[in-house]
Amino acid sequence: MLKEPPLLAEVGMSVADTDNDLSILAMHLGPLPDPQTLREYDILIPGAAAEIIKTASDQALHRRNLEKAAQDADSLARDKQIEIERERIRGALFTEQLGVVLGWLIAASCVGSAIWSMLTDKNPILTIVFLGLPIAGIINAIRK
């Protein structure tokens, strides 16, 4: 019996000697066959090795192109999501600023109307209502 070569034993492969016949089990991993197999293909079909290598190269290029397209699509989707979020924030800020400006306008109008009501000797309840609206608005804003 032959002694197992160290590399074959490590991967669980064996060399068997039966009736003086030697059998060797070989294994290859990778996108292309090993060089010996490529030579054998080329002997059987001239140009086969070059075609196998070209096909593997084309497949690798295709895979890289697909990965790049996926990355580009992901980047574009993220950029679009960021832009949507920016627009949402701008809208919220505009709405908030508009609310502040309109609130001040309403408060100033009510105070001006209350002063006008007092100066023209109108009903005192009207003056109280004009002053009460901005005060109620301020109280409501503080409660939130």
Side-chain angles (χ1 to χ4, degrees), residues 17-30:
D17 184 8
T18 56
D19 299 325
N20 295 325
D21 290 334
L22 180 65
S23 298
I24 297 177
L25 176 62
M27 179 188 236
H28 175 76
L29 296 174

Side-chain angles (χ1 to χ4, degrees), residues 60-129:
L61 178 62
H62 177 67
R63 186 187 69 249
R64 286 191 302 270
N65 287 338
L66 287 176
E67 289 171 355
K68 183 175 181 340
Q71 288 173 347
D72 291 347
D74 183 53
S75 178
L76 186 62
R78 287 174 192 236
D79 290 347
K80 184 66 175 170
Q81 191 62 33
I82 289 170
E83 186 58 34
I84 289 169
E85 187 63 19
R86 281 185 183 145
E87 289 300 319
R88 188 191 66 76
I89 291 170
R90 277 190 206 118
L93 289 175
F94 175 76
T95 301
E96 186 175 324
Q97 290 170 344
L98 183 63
V100 168
V101 169
L102 291 177
W104 277 105
L105 285 174
I106 290 170
S109 298
C110 288
V111 170
S113 297
I115 292 171
W116 171 80
S117 174
M118 285 188 320
L119 293 177
T120 58
D121 291 330
K122 299 290 182 193
N123 190 346
I125 294 178
L126 186 61
T127 303
I128 292 170
V129 168

Side-chain angles (χ1 to χ4, degrees), residues 24-53:
I24 297 177
L25 176 62
M27 179 188 236
H28 175 76
L29 296 174
L32 292 172
D34 63 279
Q36 180 59 36
T37 304
L38 281 175
R39 275 194 230 62
E40 291 171 6
Y41 275 126
D42 227 18
I43 291 170
L44 290 174
I45 304 168
E51 185 63 30
I52 291 170
I53 292 170

